[in-house]
Amino acid sequence: MGFSNDFVWGVATSSYQIEGAAFEDGKGLSIWDTYSHEPGKVFEGHHGDVACDHYHRYKEDIRLMAELGVKAYRFSVSWPRVLPEGTGAVNEKGIAFYSDLVDEMLKYGITPYLTLYHWDMPYELYKRGGWLNPDMPRWFAEYAALIAERLGDRVKNYMTFNEPQVFIGLAFVDGVHAPGHRYTRQETLLMAHHVMLAHGLAAQAIRGKVADARIGYAPTSNVPVPVTMEERDVEAARRAYFEMPENGDWSWNTAWWSDPIVLGHYPEDGVKILEKDMPKIGQDDMKIIHQPLDFYGQNIYRGEPVRAGEDGKAIHVPYPEGSPKTAIGWHVNFDCLYWGTRFLYERYQKPIFITENGMSSHDWVHLDGKVHDPQRIDYLQRHLQWLKKAAEEGVDIAGYFQWSFMDNFEWARGYHDRFGIVYVDYQTQERIPKDSFYWYQQLIRENGENL
Ligand code: PNW
C-alpha cells in the first residue's frame, strides 16, 4: 500500500511566471507588470513581459505534459487578462485563451486544477486600495463567477488563493513582493480578513454555477520537523506549526490562515495576542468564510528542525554549518512532507493535496545537449518517500503537484533560479526536458511503487 490508484500526479505553474504576452490582446495590467519594471525591485531588472511565452506556445507545453504522463495540471488565471479593470468589462480574448488551454489539456486526458489568484492582482484594483478595500471580496467573487460560468463545464477543480502568506505577508508586511509596501499590523490583518471573505464568496459563486465543483485552497508555510521521533519533540513541532508566536508575528501562522476557512473561527491564542489590531468582524463574516471545502491544498518546500524545551515548547535547532541548500538558499529537509501532511490532516481532516513542492538549481545545457539535474531527482525522490510514508500511515493524500513544470519567472529572483523539470532557453524559447522530467515520468508510470 502506498499511493492510491487514483492518486493525482501533477505539475504546477502560475500565470505571471510563464505566460508573457503581458500587454497583448486587451489584457489589463497587474501589480507584477508594474512592480517588475520599477528599478531595483527584481534581480537584474527581469520582468515577465515575455517569460516562457506560454501564451503563444501553450500547445507545445501541454503536449510535453502529456508526454510526461501527468494526470493533472495546476495553472492559474490572470485576473486582469480576463477582467482588465478587475471588475466590469470582460476581455473575451483572455477568456478564449484559457478556454483553449483547458481544451488542449482535456484532449490529452489531463485534468485542469485552476487557481484563481496567484498574486497578479489587477493594477486598477490596486489603485482602488486593493485588499484594503472592503469591496475587494465582492470583486473577487464576480471574477470567480465569470470563470466558473465560462469554464465550469470543463473545469471542476478550483483553488481560490495561492499562498496568502506571501501576497499579504511578503508584499505588505515585509514589503519585498509587489506592490512592495509596508503596512501596519492593523491594516494587514484587515487585508487578510478580506482575503478570507473573498475566498468564501468565491466558493459560493463557483458552487452556484458548477454543481459538481471541488473547491480547495493553497496556503503555505515551513513545517516544524521534530529532530527525534520522541513524542515530546513531535508534540513540540505540532504546537509550533499552529501556535501564534508570542511576538504576534502572524503572517506565516498556519492556524491564522486556515482555521477560519476550514474550522470557521480564528485561533484563540492568536486572537488573544492580536486583539488590539484585529479587524471588526461582521456578524455573518465567519459563516461566509467557512464554506465547505472538498480538499485542503498546501505548498510545502521546507522544514525547520525543532526539539522540545523544558516547558514542552519548540526550540529551533539550527541546521549544521554547510548542510545542503538549494540555489535559492533554502535548506533541505525531506521529512517536511511527512510531518506537514500528518499535522494538517490531524487538524483539518480533509483530503490533502501537496499543491507545490520542488527545488531551484542553476541548470545548464551540458556538452551532450542534455540538462542533468541529479540534485532535483534526489530532492523529489526523498520528499516523495516521506509523503508515501504518511499515506501508508493513513493520512489521506489525494495528489502531488511538482513545482514547476518548466523554468520560469521566479518573482523577485527573476530568471536566476530555475525550478523546472523542463529547461527553458530564454533566448530561443526552446524547451529541453531535464533528467528529472524522465525520472518523474517513470515514477508516474509506476505510481510511486519503486520509491
Ligand atoms: C511559491 N517561503 O512561493 C509560489 O507559489 C511560487 O509561485 C514560487 O515560484 C515557488 O513557491 C518557489 O518560490 C513561495 O518563503 C515563496 O517559504 C516563499 C516561500 C515559499 C513559497
Side-chain angles (χ1 to χ4, degrees), residues 17 118 162-163 222 301-302 330 356 403 410-411 419:
Q17 294 180 273
H118 202 123
N162 182 70
E163 301 190 351
N222 297 343
Y301 288 89
R302 296 196 266 174
W330 296 355
E356 289 179 21
W403 182 275
E410 177 51 32
W411 307 112
F419 270 90

Side-chain angles (χ1 to χ4, degrees), residues 22 162 194 307 405 428:
N162 182 70
H194 287 156
R307 63 179 176 81
F405 173 64
T428 62

Side-chain angles (χ1 to χ4, degrees), residues 48-49 103 118 127 143 155 186 206-207 220 261 266 272 285 297 319 342 360-361 381 387 398 419 431 435 447:
D49 292 4
D103 285 344
H118 202 123
K127 288 199 294 193
Y143 160 54
V155 178
Q186 236 169 27
I206 296 167
R207 292 216 198 274
T220 188
I261 284 175
Y266 279 103
K272 243 185 235 149
D285 285 8
Y319 280 97
R342 198 173 132 170
S360 62
S361 53
Q381 175 164 26
L387 186 69
F419 270 90
R431 274 75 164 137
D435 289 353
N447 201 35

Side-chain angles (χ1 to χ4, degrees), residues 224-226 230-243 306-309 312-315 343:
V225 293
E230 273 169 45
E231 192 44 41
R232 261 174 63 75
D233 289 334
V234 172
E235 180 52 24
R238 181 185 286 116
R239 267 178 71 179
Y241 202 10
F242 298 107
E243 204 166 60
V306 299
R307 63 179 176 81
K313 280 201 168 196
I315 297 176
F343 293 155

Side-chain angles (χ1 to χ4, degrees), residues 324-340:
K325 283 185 188 174
T326 64
I328 206 168
W330 296 355
H331 276 287
V332 179
N333 205 329
F334 321 115
D335 44 3
C336 59
L337 282 197
Y338 171 78
W339 294 108

Side-chain angles (χ1 to χ4, degrees), residues 58-130:
Y58 70 94
K59 285 192 179 165
E60 177 189 347
D61 292 334
I62 300 294
R63 184 156 37 76
L64 209 46
M65 276 180 217
E67 189 187 324
L68 175 61
V70 284
K71 310 220 160 37
Y73 172 35
R74 176 177 178 238
F75 67 106
S76 81
V77 172
S78 159
W79 183 354
R81 194 181 288 290
V82 297
L83 287 163
E85 305 200 345
T87 172
V90 174
N91 178 28
E92 290 298 337
K93 285 189 175 161
I95 295 278
F97 167 68
Y98 293 109
S99 181
D100 292 347
L101 176 68
V102 165
D103 285 344
E104 201 64 20
M105 286 178 227
L106 295 175
K107 188 166 113 189
Y108 294 104
I110 298 171
T111 306
Y113 277 68
L114 186 155
T115 305
L116 284 168
Y117 191 93
H118 202 123
W119 311 353
D120 40 2
M121 181 205 292
Y123 184 63
E124 290 304 317
L125 296 185
Y126 164 68
K127 288 199 294 193
R128 297 167 76 173

